[in-house]
Amino acid sequence: MKITEVKVILTCPGRNFVFVKIMTDQLGLYGVGEGTLNGSETIVAEAIRHISHLLIGRDPQQIEDLWHLVYRQGYWRGGPIFMAALAAIDFALWDIKGKQANLPVYQLLGGKARDGVMCYSHASGRDAVECEDSARRLMERGFRVVRCQVGPYGGEGVLGQREPVTPGTPAELIYEPTPYLLSVPKLFAHLRDKLGMEIELFHDAHEQLNPIEAARLAKELEPYRLFFLEDPLMPEHRESWPLVRAASSTPLAIGEIFTSRWDCLPLFMNRWIDFIRIKPLHVGGLTEARKIMILAEPFNVRSAFHGAADIGPVAQAASFTLQSVIPNFGVQEWTRFPDQTYEVVSGICRMENGFAYPNEAPGFGVDVDEEKAAQYPYQRAFMPLVRRADGSMHVY
Ligand code: MG
Protein backbone atom coordinates (compact mmCIF):
# COMPACT_ATOMS: atom_id res chain seq x y z
CA MET A 1 0.00 0.00 0.00
CA LYS A 2 1.21 3.52 -0.80
CA ILE A 3 0.28 7.08 0.23
CA THR A 4 -0.74 8.98 -2.92
CA GLU A 5 -1.84 12.38 -1.55
CA VAL A 6 -2.14 14.34 1.71
CA LYS A 7 -5.07 16.78 1.53
CA VAL A 8 -5.15 19.69 4.00
CA ILE A 9 -8.64 21.05 4.76
CA LEU A 10 -8.63 24.40 6.59
CA THR A 11 -12.22 25.33 7.47
CA CYS A 12 -14.25 27.44 9.90
CA PRO A 13 -17.65 25.80 10.55
CA GLY A 14 -18.29 27.95 13.64
CA ARG A 15 -14.59 27.87 14.55
CA ASN A 16 -11.33 27.07 12.77
CA PHE A 17 -10.22 23.48 12.27
CA VAL A 18 -7.29 21.89 10.36
CA PHE A 19 -8.28 18.50 8.94
CA VAL A 20 -6.27 16.17 6.70
CA LYS A 21 -7.09 13.24 4.45
CA ILE A 22 -4.31 10.79 3.63
CA MET A 23 -5.24 9.09 0.36
CA THR A 24 -3.89 5.66 -0.64
CA ASP A 25 -3.54 3.65 -3.83
CA GLN A 26 -6.22 1.24 -2.53
CA LEU A 27 -9.65 2.06 -3.98
CA GLY A 28 -11.69 4.15 -1.52
CA LEU A 29 -9.24 3.72 1.37
CA TYR A 30 -8.17 6.96 3.06
CA GLY A 31 -7.55 8.20 6.59
CA VAL A 32 -8.92 11.33 8.27
CA GLY A 33 -6.77 13.33 10.68
CA GLU A 34 -6.73 16.69 12.45
CA GLY A 35 -4.02 19.17 13.48
CA THR A 36 -6.03 22.10 14.86
CA LEU A 37 -3.93 24.51 16.98
CA ASN A 38 -6.08 27.35 18.31
CA GLY A 39 -4.96 30.67 16.81
CA SER A 40 -2.18 29.07 14.70
CA GLU A 41 -4.22 26.98 12.23
CA THR A 42 -2.66 28.37 9.04
CA ILE A 43 0.86 27.67 10.33
CA VAL A 44 0.07 24.00 11.09
CA ALA A 45 -1.64 23.65 7.69
CA GLU A 46 1.54 24.87 5.96
CA ALA A 47 3.69 22.52 8.10
CA ILE A 48 1.56 19.54 7.01
CA ARG A 49 1.79 20.60 3.34
CA HIS A 50 5.58 20.78 3.68
CA ILE A 51 5.90 17.40 5.46
CA SER A 52 3.49 15.71 3.03
CA HIS A 53 6.20 15.72 0.31
CA LEU A 54 8.12 13.20 2.47
CA LEU A 55 5.13 10.86 2.76
CA ILE A 56 4.07 10.32 -0.84
CA GLY A 57 4.88 6.76 -1.96
CA ARG A 58 5.44 5.44 1.58
CA ASP A 59 3.47 2.59 3.20
CA PRO A 60 0.77 4.06 5.50
CA GLN A 61 0.64 0.79 7.46
CA GLN A 62 4.00 1.52 9.14
CA ILE A 63 2.71 3.97 11.77
CA GLU A 64 5.64 3.79 14.23
CA ASP A 65 8.22 4.24 11.47
CA LEU A 66 6.35 7.14 9.86
CA TRP A 67 5.88 8.80 13.27
CA HIS A 68 9.67 8.89 13.78
CA LEU A 69 10.27 9.89 10.16
CA VAL A 70 8.03 12.96 10.59
CA TYR A 71 9.32 13.72 14.11
CA ARG A 72 12.95 13.62 13.03
CA GLN A 73 12.62 14.99 9.47
CA GLY A 74 13.48 18.58 10.25
CA TYR A 75 16.31 18.46 12.86
CA TRP A 76 14.13 21.10 14.66
CA ARG A 77 12.08 18.57 16.59
CA GLY A 78 8.92 19.11 18.62
CA GLY A 79 6.99 22.23 19.62
CA PRO A 80 3.26 22.88 19.19
CA ILE A 81 3.27 23.46 15.41
CA PHE A 82 5.18 20.32 14.41
CA MET A 83 3.53 18.10 17.03
CA ALA A 84 0.02 19.16 15.90
CA ALA A 85 1.06 18.50 12.27
CA LEU A 86 2.45 15.11 13.32
CA ALA A 87 -0.78 14.32 15.18
CA ALA A 88 -2.82 15.06 12.04
CA ILE A 89 -0.76 12.51 10.10
CA ASP A 90 -0.73 9.97 12.96
CA PHE A 91 -4.55 10.09 13.35
CA ALA A 92 -5.04 9.56 9.61
CA LEU A 93 -2.68 6.54 9.66
CA TRP A 94 -4.58 4.95 12.59
CA ASP A 95 -7.85 5.65 10.75
CA ILE A 96 -6.49 3.80 7.70
CA LYS A 97 -5.32 0.94 9.95
CA GLY A 98 -8.79 0.59 11.49
CA LYS A 99 -10.58 0.74 8.14
CA GLN A 100 -8.20 -1.87 6.74
CA ALA A 101 -8.85 -4.16 9.73
CA ASN A 102 -12.58 -3.31 9.68
CA LEU A 103 -12.31 -2.49 13.41
CA PRO A 104 -12.68 0.66 15.52
CA VAL A 105 -9.24 1.90 16.62
CA TYR A 106 -9.97 1.13 20.31
CA GLN A 107 -10.05 -2.57 19.37
CA LEU A 108 -6.56 -2.27 17.85
CA LEU A 109 -5.30 -0.95 21.23
CA GLY A 110 -6.52 -3.94 23.21
CA GLY A 111 -10.21 -3.14 23.58
CA LYS A 112 -12.22 -1.14 26.07
CA ALA A 113 -11.25 -0.95 29.74
CA ARG A 114 -14.52 0.85 30.68
CA ASP A 115 -18.09 1.15 29.40
CA GLY A 116 -17.96 4.91 28.84
CA VAL A 117 -15.58 7.83 29.24
CA MET A 118 -16.63 10.01 32.20
CA CYS A 119 -16.76 13.65 31.10
CA TYR A 120 -16.82 17.01 32.80
CA SER A 121 -18.28 20.23 31.47
CA HIS A 122 -18.11 23.91 32.45
CA ALA A 123 -20.35 25.68 34.97
CA SER A 124 -20.06 29.45 34.83
CA GLY A 125 -21.93 32.65 35.64
CA ARG A 126 -21.51 36.28 36.65
CA ASP A 127 -21.46 35.32 40.35
CA ALA A 128 -21.47 32.29 42.66
CA VAL A 129 -25.27 31.91 42.52
CA GLU A 130 -25.29 31.81 38.71
CA CYS A 131 -22.39 29.34 38.76
CA GLU A 132 -24.36 27.15 41.20
CA ASP A 133 -27.41 27.21 38.86
CA SER A 134 -25.17 26.34 35.92
CA ALA A 135 -23.62 23.43 37.87
CA ARG A 136 -27.09 22.13 38.81
CA ARG A 137 -28.10 22.07 35.13
CA LEU A 138 -25.00 20.00 34.29
CA MET A 139 -25.67 17.63 37.21
CA GLU A 140 -29.25 17.16 35.94
CA ARG A 141 -27.77 16.19 32.54
CA GLY A 142 -25.70 13.46 34.25
CA PHE A 143 -22.30 15.11 34.69
CA ARG A 144 -20.55 13.82 37.82
CA VAL A 145 -17.58 16.20 37.52
CA VAL A 146 -18.06 19.95 36.98
CA ARG A 147 -15.54 22.75 36.38
CA CYS A 148 -16.66 25.93 38.19
CA GLN A 149 -15.66 29.45 37.13
CA VAL A 150 -17.11 32.94 37.61
CA GLY A 151 -16.89 35.78 35.10
CA PRO A 152 -14.64 35.93 32.03
CA TYR A 153 -11.27 34.16 31.48
CA GLY A 154 -9.45 35.22 34.69
CA GLY A 155 -12.65 35.36 36.78
CA GLU A 156 -13.07 38.18 39.26
CA GLY A 157 -9.48 39.20 38.64
CA VAL A 158 -10.63 40.74 35.36
CA LEU A 159 -11.17 44.44 36.05
CA GLY A 160 -11.96 45.52 32.49
CA GLN A 161 -10.51 45.49 29.01
CA ARG A 162 -8.60 47.69 26.59
CA GLU A 163 -9.71 47.98 23.00
CA PRO A 164 -7.10 46.56 20.62
CA VAL A 165 -4.62 48.87 18.89
CA THR A 166 -4.92 46.82 15.68
CA PRO A 167 -8.46 46.48 14.24
CA GLY A 168 -9.70 42.89 14.03
CA THR A 169 -7.61 41.65 16.94
CA PRO A 170 -9.08 40.76 20.36
CA ALA A 171 -9.53 43.16 23.27
CA GLU A 172 -6.82 42.94 25.96
CA LEU A 173 -8.10 41.93 29.42
CA ILE A 174 -7.04 43.88 32.52
CA TYR A 175 -6.29 41.36 35.28
CA GLU A 176 -5.15 41.59 38.91
CA PRO A 177 -4.46 38.45 40.95
CA THR A 178 -5.63 39.69 44.37
CA PRO A 179 -9.38 40.05 43.64
CA TYR A 180 -9.19 36.71 41.80
CA LEU A 181 -7.46 34.92 44.70
CA LEU A 182 -9.95 36.33 47.22
CA SER A 183 -12.96 35.29 45.09
CA VAL A 184 -12.21 31.62 44.39
CA PRO A 185 -12.40 30.23 47.98
CA LYS A 186 -15.66 32.20 48.44
CA LEU A 187 -17.06 30.60 45.26
CA PHE A 188 -16.30 27.07 46.51
CA ALA A 189 -17.59 27.83 50.04
CA HIS A 190 -20.90 28.78 48.38
CA LEU A 191 -20.94 25.78 46.02
CA ARG A 192 -20.19 23.23 48.75
CA ASP A 193 -22.83 24.83 51.02
CA LYS A 194 -25.49 24.61 48.28
CA LEU A 195 -24.46 21.49 46.31
CA GLY A 196 -22.99 19.33 49.10
CA MET A 197 -19.66 17.50 49.18
CA GLU A 198 -20.38 14.52 46.91
CA ILE A 199 -20.44 16.13 43.46
CA GLU A 200 -16.89 16.40 42.06
CA LEU A 201 -16.07 20.09 41.56
CA PHE A 202 -12.87 21.73 40.40
CA HIS A 203 -11.40 25.03 39.21
CA ASP A 204 -9.08 26.17 36.40
CA ALA A 205 -6.59 28.92 37.37
CA HIS A 206 -5.60 29.33 33.67
CA GLU A 207 -1.84 29.53 34.46
CA GLN A 208 -2.25 33.13 35.69
CA LEU A 209 -0.60 32.74 39.14
CA ASN A 210 2.94 32.92 40.39
CA PRO A 211 4.16 29.98 42.51
CA ILE A 212 3.44 31.37 45.99
CA GLU A 213 -0.03 32.55 44.88
CA ALA A 214 -0.73 29.07 43.49
CA ALA A 215 0.44 27.45 46.76
CA ARG A 216 -1.82 29.72 48.81
CA LEU A 217 -4.85 29.07 46.57
CA ALA A 218 -4.37 25.28 46.72
CA LYS A 219 -4.18 25.53 50.55
CA GLU A 220 -7.24 27.77 50.87
CA LEU A 221 -9.29 25.45 48.64
CA GLU A 222 -8.35 22.33 50.61
CA PRO A 223 -11.51 22.33 52.83
CA TYR A 224 -13.72 22.21 49.70
CA ARG A 225 -12.28 18.88 48.51
CA LEU A 226 -11.66 19.76 44.86
CA PHE A 227 -11.40 17.00 42.25
CA PHE A 228 -8.30 18.94 41.21
CA LEU A 229 -6.92 22.45 40.82
CA GLU A 230 -6.17 22.93 37.12
CA ASP A 231 -3.26 24.91 35.70
CA PRO A 232 -2.20 26.67 38.93
CA LEU A 233 1.21 27.42 37.32
CA MET A 234 2.64 28.16 33.91
CA PRO A 235 4.56 25.14 32.57
CA GLU A 236 7.73 27.27 32.71
CA HIS A 237 7.55 27.27 36.54
CA ARG A 238 8.34 23.55 36.66
CA GLU A 239 10.85 23.79 39.52
CA SER A 240 8.15 25.46 41.69
CA TRP A 241 5.81 22.47 41.71
CA PRO A 242 7.22 21.19 45.05
CA LEU A 243 6.13 24.47 46.69
CA VAL A 244 2.54 24.08 45.45
CA ARG A 245 2.54 20.35 46.15
CA ALA A 246 3.68 20.76 49.77
CA ALA A 247 1.09 23.45 50.52
CA SER A 248 -1.97 21.18 50.58
CA SER A 249 -3.60 17.89 49.66
CA THR A 250 -5.59 19.54 46.85
CA PRO A 251 -4.96 17.34 43.77
CA LEU A 252 -3.12 19.14 40.96
CA ALA A 253 -3.58 18.98 37.17
CA ILE A 254 -1.63 20.51 34.29
CA GLY A 255 -0.50 19.75 30.75
CA GLU A 256 -2.94 21.15 28.18
CA ILE A 257 -0.15 23.06 26.41
CA PHE A 258 2.45 20.31 26.84
CA THR A 259 3.68 18.95 23.52
CA SER A 260 5.83 15.94 24.45
CA ARG A 261 6.73 13.21 26.92
CA TRP A 262 9.70 15.36 27.98
CA ASP A 263 7.32 18.02 29.37
CA CYS A 264 5.48 15.35 31.38
CA LEU A 265 8.23 13.08 32.70
CA PRO A 266 9.73 15.29 35.48
CA LEU A 267 6.24 15.94 36.87
CA PHE A 268 5.49 12.21 36.88
CA MET A 269 8.82 11.08 38.32
CA ASN A 270 8.75 13.66 41.13
CA ARG A 271 5.10 12.91 41.91
CA TRP A 272 4.24 16.61 41.71
CA ILE A 273 0.87 16.18 39.94
CA ASP A 274 -2.17 13.89 40.08
CA PHE A 275 -3.73 14.47 36.64
CA ILE A 276 -2.13 15.08 33.23
CA ARG A 277 -4.12 17.24 30.79
CA ILE A 278 -2.44 16.27 27.53
CA LYS A 279 -4.52 15.00 24.61
CA PRO A 280 -3.35 13.17 21.49
CA LEU A 281 -3.84 16.26 19.26
CA HIS A 282 -0.98 18.34 20.68
CA VAL A 283 1.60 15.67 21.59
CA GLY A 284 2.01 14.12 18.14
CA GLY A 285 -1.09 11.95 18.02
CA LEU A 286 -2.45 8.70 19.42
CA THR A 287 0.91 6.93 19.14
CA GLU A 288 2.71 9.30 21.54
CA ALA A 289 -0.23 10.07 23.87
CA ARG A 290 -0.59 6.34 24.52
CA LYS A 291 3.10 6.11 25.45
CA ILE A 292 2.78 9.13 27.78
CA MET A 293 -0.15 7.51 29.61
CA ILE A 294 1.87 4.31 29.99
CA LEU A 295 4.72 6.41 31.49
CA ALA A 296 2.22 8.03 33.88
CA GLU A 297 0.74 4.79 35.17
CA PRO A 298 3.41 3.69 37.72
CA PHE A 299 3.45 7.23 39.17
CA ASN A 300 -0.33 7.18 39.87
CA VAL A 301 -0.98 10.02 37.44
CA ARG A 302 -4.40 9.82 35.82
CA SER A 303 -5.67 11.38 32.60
CA ALA A 304 -7.73 14.57 32.51
CA PHE A 305 -7.59 15.16 28.76
CA HIS A 306 -8.10 18.70 27.51
CA GLY A 307 -11.26 18.80 25.40
CA ALA A 308 -12.17 22.41 24.65
CA ALA A 309 -14.04 23.04 21.37
CA ASP A 310 -10.76 23.73 19.53
CA ILE A 311 -9.95 20.04 19.99
CA GLY A 312 -12.05 19.22 16.91
CA PRO A 313 -14.15 16.13 16.13
CA VAL A 314 -11.35 13.90 14.75
CA ALA A 315 -8.98 14.74 17.61
CA GLN A 316 -11.88 14.26 20.03
CA ALA A 317 -12.53 10.78 18.64
CA ALA A 318 -8.85 9.92 19.16
CA SER A 319 -9.06 11.21 22.76
CA PHE A 320 -12.18 9.14 23.49
CA THR A 321 -10.50 6.09 21.91
CA LEU A 322 -7.41 6.34 24.15
CA GLN A 323 -9.48 7.24 27.25
CA SER A 324 -11.51 4.06 26.67
CA VAL A 325 -8.52 1.72 26.81
CA ILE A 326 -6.06 3.08 29.41
CA PRO A 327 -6.14 1.82 33.01
CA ASN A 328 -5.12 5.19 34.53
CA PHE A 329 -8.16 7.10 33.32
CA GLY A 330 -9.31 10.14 35.31
CA VAL A 331 -11.76 12.30 33.38
CA GLN A 332 -12.35 13.85 29.94
CA GLU A 333 -13.27 17.48 29.19
CA TRP A 334 -16.31 17.74 26.93
CA THR A 335 -17.69 20.73 25.04
CA ARG A 336 -20.26 20.82 22.24
CA PHE A 337 -19.08 22.01 18.83
CA PRO A 338 -20.83 24.86 16.98
CA ASP A 339 -23.91 23.71 14.99
CA GLN A 340 -22.18 24.32 11.62
CA THR A 341 -19.47 21.79 12.57
CA TYR A 342 -22.13 19.04 12.49
CA GLU A 343 -22.93 20.01 8.85
CA VAL A 344 -19.28 19.57 7.76
CA VAL A 345 -18.20 16.61 9.91
CA SER A 346 -20.03 13.29 10.11
CA GLY A 347 -19.60 10.70 12.86
CA ILE A 348 -18.99 13.15 15.73
CA CYS A 349 -18.75 10.97 18.84
CA ARG A 350 -21.73 10.44 21.14
CA MET A 351 -21.90 11.95 24.65
CA GLU A 352 -24.84 10.95 26.85
CA ASN A 353 -25.54 11.42 30.58
CA GLY A 354 -21.99 12.64 31.18
CA PHE A 355 -20.30 9.73 29.40
CA ALA A 356 -18.67 9.77 25.94
CA TYR A 357 -18.11 6.88 23.57
CA PRO A 358 -15.70 6.23 20.70
CA ASN A 359 -17.44 5.26 17.46
CA GLU A 360 -18.09 1.61 16.55
CA ALA A 361 -17.38 2.26 12.84
CA PRO A 362 -13.98 1.13 11.46
CA GLY A 363 -11.12 3.57 12.15
CA PHE A 364 -12.22 6.60 14.15
CA GLY A 365 -15.55 6.72 12.29
CA VAL A 366 -15.32 10.48 11.62
CA ASP A 367 -15.31 12.04 8.13
CA VAL A 368 -15.09 15.54 6.69
CA ASP A 369 -17.23 16.66 3.71
CA GLU A 370 -14.75 18.66 1.62
CA GLU A 371 -17.42 20.53 -0.38
CA LYS A 372 -19.26 21.63 2.75
CA ALA A 373 -15.95 22.54 4.45
CA ALA A 374 -15.20 24.85 1.50
CA GLN A 375 -18.43 26.73 2.25
CA TYR A 376 -16.91 27.76 5.61
CA PRO A 377 -13.53 29.33 4.78
CA TYR A 378 -10.88 29.99 7.45
CA GLN A 379 -11.42 33.13 9.56
CA ARG A 380 -8.35 34.84 11.04
CA ALA A 381 -8.40 34.56 14.86
CA PHE A 382 -6.07 35.27 17.77
CA MET A 383 -5.99 34.24 21.42
CA PRO A 384 -6.71 36.97 24.04
CA LEU A 385 -3.90 38.93 25.73
CA VAL A 386 -3.83 39.83 29.42
CA ARG A 387 -2.39 43.02 30.98
CA ARG A 388 -2.08 44.24 34.57
CA ALA A 389 -3.91 47.36 35.80
CA ASP A 390 -0.77 49.46 35.23
CA GLY A 391 -0.78 48.59 31.52
CA SER A 392 2.12 46.09 31.59
CA MET A 393 1.79 42.60 30.11
CA HIS A 394 0.79 40.02 32.73
CA VAL A 395 3.88 37.85 32.79
CA TYR A 396 2.99 35.97 36.02
MG1 MG B 1 -6.86 24.90 31.64
Side-chain angles (χ1 to χ4, degrees), residues 72-338:
R72 292 166 203 286
Q73 54 82 27
Y75 183 64
W76 308 106
R77 293 183 293 279
I81 305 294
F82 280 123
M83 295 310 266
L86 175 48
I89 293 160
D90 182 79
F91 292 152
L93 297 177
W94 278 104
D95 194 41
I96 289 170
K97 183 80 78 187
K99 288 170 176 170
Q100 195 187 7
N102 200 30
L103 289 170
V105 175
Y106 74 79
Q107 293 288 16
L108 306 180
L109 302 176
K112 285 187 182 179
R114 55 192 48 77
D115 297 332
V117 174
M118 184 174 69
C119 293
Y120 73 81
S121 197
H122 304 172
S124 60
R126 283 168 298 182
D127 56 30
V129 174
E130 283 192 4
C131 183
E132 174 202 336
D133 292 342
S134 175
R136 282 189 196 282
R137 287 193 293 274
L138 291 172
M139 291 161 68
E140 283 162 13
R141 288 174 59 195
F143 287 99
R144 290 154 173 81
V145 185
V146 180
R147 189 188 84 161
C148 301
Q149 314 285 131
V150 162
Y153 195 90
E156 293 186 30
V158 176
L159 308 177
Q161 64 179 43
R162 292 153 63 118
E163 288 312 306
V165 174
T166 311
T169 60
E172 298 176 0
L173 299 177
I174 307 297
Y175 172 87
E176 283 294 317
T178 299
Y180 168 76
L181 288 165
L182 291 172
S183 71
V184 179
K186 285 183 197 159
L187 167 65
F188 281 88
H190 174 87
L191 294 172
R192 284 307 187 197
D193 181 47
K194 300 297 181 186
L195 301 175
M197 292 301 279
E198 289 195 15
I199 178 73
E200 301 287 7
L201 304 178
F202 75 92
H203 180 72
D204 184 355
H206 294 314
E207 304 176 359
Q208 305 234 45
L209 303 175
N210 69 33
I212 199 68
E213 291 166 345
R216 187 192 292 151
L217 182 61
K219 183 177 171 184
E220 290 182 356
L221 289 173
E222 196 172 30
Y224 308 115
R225 210 191 61 80
L226 264 59
F227 191 66
F228 54 69
L229 176 60
E230 176 183 335
D231 297 336
L233 293 178
M234 291 170 67
E236 291 88 332
H237 291 313
R238 184 159 78 191
E239 304 310 321
S240 296
W241 278 103
L243 181 74
V244 184
R245 189 61 157 169
S248 80
S249 63
T250 299
L252 302 173
I254 194 163
E256 64 188 53
I257 66 171
F258 287 5
T259 58
S260 84
R261 65 176 73 181
W262 311 109
D263 295 327
C264 303
L265 258 179
L267 279 64
F268 296 168
M269 293 171 70
N270 290 296
R271 296 172 168 81
W272 288 334
I273 59 167
D274 302 278
F275 293 88
I276 184 73
R277 285 186 49 70
I278 59 151
K279 65 288 185 190
L281 172 57
H282 294 142
V283 298
L286 184 66
T287 300
E288 181 68 0
R290 180 168 179 246
K291 291 177 185 175
I292 290 173
M293 291 318 300
I294 292 168
L295 290 171
E297 192 184 339
F299 301 105
N300 301 108
V301 176
R302 290 187 284 158
S303 62
F305 283 5
H306 185 210
D310 54 304
I311 318 304
V314 182
Q316 183 192 64
S319 281
F320 293 173
T321 293
L322 186 56
Q323 294 273 55
S324 295
V325 304
I326 55 174
N328 48 335
F329 167 77
V331 74
Q332 167 70 48
E333 183 176 17
W334 181 85
T335 36
R336 193 186 146 79
F337 299 114

